[in-house]
Structure formats: C-alpha cells, structure tokens
Amino acid sequence: MRVVLSSMWRKASGRYSMTVLAIWILVSLISRFWTPVPIWTTDGYRIWQAPSRDHLLGTDGTGADILSWLMAGSATNLAISLLAVLLSGVLGLLLVMAMVSRRSGVSQTVVVLVDALISLPTVLLALILAVPLGPSIAVVVVACGFGYGLNLARIVRPQALLAAESDYVRSARHSGVGSFRIFCTHLVPNVIPVLCVQLSMSAGTSVLAESGLTYLGVGVPSGLPSWGHSLTTSVKFINVFPLTVLWPGLVVTMVVVALNLFGDALRDAIDPVTNPRLRAAVAATGWSTLQSGQSDDADHHVENAVHTGEGGQSCR
C-alpha cells in the first residue's frame, strides 16, 4: 500500500486527484458539524450578493450562503457516489461471474440480458423509479448503480474470460477448487486494474447524474442540500448572476476530473507491469519469503539428519 500510494503521488494527475478527493472527504466530515453560516439561514435583503467578507462565495436567490450549501452538499454527493460505486461493483462482478460460467446456457443468457438492458438509459430508469418512490437519494443510487453495473460487466468480461482460460485456472479446476473460490482468488485480481478505472468513472458520472436528475426533479429532494440543488436554483439566472452558477459548476468539474484521474493513476500504480517500483517490492518480498522458506527447510533437514544419523554415525 505504501508503494502504491507513493507511486500515485509521484504523478501530477495522482497528486491532483488525491488532493481534491482528500479535501472533498474532509469538507464532508466538517460540514456535518460546522458551516460558515447555518444552511437554513436566509436573508431576503441580501439575495444574489457578490462575494464579501460575510459570504465568501456570495448568496443565492433566497439569501442563503452559497459556500455553506456547497459544504453541506458535499456530504450528500459523497454518499451518493460511494453507494452507487458499491452497488455497481457488486452487480457488475456478479454478472461477470455468471458471464464466464462454464455452463454455456447460463453465460449466453446473461450476456444477451446484459446487452438488452444496457440500452436502457439511466435517466429513463430514474424516471420509472421516481413514480412509486418520489424524488429521493435511493432513485439516484439505484439508477446509477444498475446502469453502471451493466456497463462494468460488459467491459470487464473479456479480461475475465482471458483469465478463465489460463493454465493456472485450469489446474485449480482439476484440483477440485470450486467456481466461486476460483473467481475470487484468480479472476478478480486479474481484472482489478480495469475495475478501478470503471468504478472511478462510475463515481464521477454519478456526481453528474445527481445534478441532472435533481434538475429534472427526480433526484435529491428539495429539503436536502446537494450540488445539484445549488446548480438548479441558480441556472435560471445565469445571464444576470453568473457567479452563483460558477461555484457549484467549478466544484462538480474539479471532483469529476479528480475521480477519473484517480482511477487511471490507481490502475498504473497497482499493476506490476506498469509500476517497476511495485514489481521490485513484490520481488523483494517474494525473495525474502523464499529465503525464509529455504532456511526453514534447511533447518528441518538438519534436524532430521541429526535424529536419523544422516551424514555420520547413527545417534544412539
């Protein structure tokens, strides 16, 4: 882990993504306890104000502090991104496990099902879910998790098929290892680089999806702060008060770019083929283990020799 993190930090894209994501997480935690101005505090006499000492980023059409709303909304968007990534990762891996199954009927059926469902737009799925559930975080999470999970399964499947046809997987099958254990111990580690990129892209896209779905009225409900709400309430007056749209738009752009760059940097850092420092660390660890194992074998051999009298007279 130390080598992976240091390798990511050596790259400019890795430094940028790690810094932005660390600030995002820190602000999300701080906003749970403190904001410059309470988010529900409004002042009708100070609407659409420019940045000042009292309001560092200005105020919106209700007189609320924009900075406070962005800080409070960061926690909402962080929760949506994490839940969407978790759901899409679990769903995608389950579909991949079925798509690389040795039962041709099951694998072909799942492949056809994924190809059919992947054409369903995320927005349409969210609109369908919003009919019984209403605007809620669950609508955004389920719509994004389902859509991104299908896309993840389709992209990861070729890599998983290559690993499934390798010699060590065949040896594991002949040794009686179960399919689920083979998938977890052999197939998943081989698709982790591709998986990291896809999950980071899913996290970034979920931030954009939240803004779009909230603008359509099927995303985060109005009583909950989010970056999508900050954009929705200000976009109508972009020609008159452009700064109120600039700040949430800039935050969303920086976070989405950071999430995409984080996936690329993580993929390069955890792959021994592209990261010579990790390859050297793994080789050193393997050599130390090998040396320790050889030493233990040698000690065991000497001990047996002493008891059996190997290499000299028998012990009496």
Side-chain angles (χ1 to χ4, degrees), residues 71-87:
M71 290 180 61
S74 62
T76 303
N77 284 85
L78 179 61
I80 291 175
S81 298
L82 292 177
L83 292 174
V85 166
L86 179 62
L87 180 59

Side-chain angles (χ1 to χ4, degrees), residues 120-295:
L120 185 65
T122 303
V123 176
L124 179 59
L125 180 61
L127 292 174
I128 295 174
L129 293 174
V131 174
L133 299 178
S136 64
I137 293 180
V139 171
V140 181
V141 171
V142 173
C144 293
F146 184 78
Y148 304 156
L150 295 174
N151 189 55
L152 184 147
R154 189 174 185 181
I155 293 176
V156 173
R157 175 176 174 263
Q159 191 75 17
L161 284 175
L162 290 176
E165 298 299 327
S166 60
D167 293 336
Y168 55 86
V169 172
R170 293 177 181 174
S171 300
R173 288 199 182 103
H174 290 312
S175 299
V177 180
S179 300
F180 182 76
R181 184 178 176 184
I182 290 176
F183 180 79
C184 294
T185 57
H186 296 298
L187 300 188
V188 172
N190 279 278
V191 301
I192 282 181
V194 181
L195 193 65
C196 290
V197 175
Q198 293 303 314
L199 291 180
S200 65
M201 292 181 62
S202 298
T205 311
S206 66
V207 176
L208 296 175
E210 182 275 324
S211 301
L213 294 176
T214 302
Y215 179 78
L216 295 175
V218 297
V220 179
S222 58
L224 195 63
S226 69
W227 294 339
H229 273 307
S230 299
L231 286 170
T232 302
T233 57
S234 306
V235 70
K236 298 178 182 179
F237 303 94
I238 187 173
N239 293 328
V240 184
F241 306 103
L243 285 180
T244 57
V245 184
L246 173 64
W247 303 123
L250 184 62
V251 169
V252 170
T253 302
M254 291 177 61
V255 169
V256 172
V257 172
L259 287 170
N260 291 334
L261 293 179
F262 182 82
D264 293 335
L266 182 60
R267 176 197 58 191
D268 296 336
I270 64 176
D271 191 352
V273 177
T274 59
N275 188 358
R277 297 179 68 243
L278 180 62
R279 188 164 60 248
V282 172
T285 304
W287 175 255
S288 300
T289 304
L290 179 61
Q291 289 291 94
S292 176
Q294 290 177 347
S295 177

Side-chain angles (χ1 to χ4, degrees), residues 46-168:
R46 296 184 178 182
I47 62 174
W48 306 116
Q49 275 196 342
S52 62
R53 180 181 300 178
D54 296 331
H55 304 281
L56 296 180
L57 298 183
T59 60
D60 59 13
T62 62
D65 184 65
I66 294 179
L67 177 59
S68 299
W69 268 83
L70 291 178
M71 290 180 61
S74 62
T76 303
N77 284 85
L78 179 61
I80 291 175
S81 298
L82 292 177
L83 292 174
V85 166
L86 179 62
L87 180 59
S88 63
V90 173
L91 177 62
L93 288 178
L94 290 177
L95 291 175
V96 169
M97 184 170 61
M99 294 165 75
V100 299
S101 174
R102 300 183 65 187
R103 300 178 180 178
S104 59
V106 174
S107 60
Q108 293 299 325
T109 301
V110 175
V111 169
V112 173
L113 185 64
V114 169
D115 289 339
L117 294 178
I118 203 171
S119 61
L120 185 65
T122 303
V123 176
L124 179 59
L125 180 61
L127 292 174
I128 295 174
L129 293 174
V131 174
L133 299 178
S136 64
I137 293 180
V139 171
V140 181
V141 171
V142 173
C144 293
F146 184 78
Y148 304 156
L150 295 174
N151 189 55
L152 184 147
R154 189 174 185 181
I155 293 176
V156 173
R157 175 176 174 263
Q159 191 75 17
L161 284 175
L162 290 176
E165 298 299 327
S166 60
D167 293 336
Y168 55 86

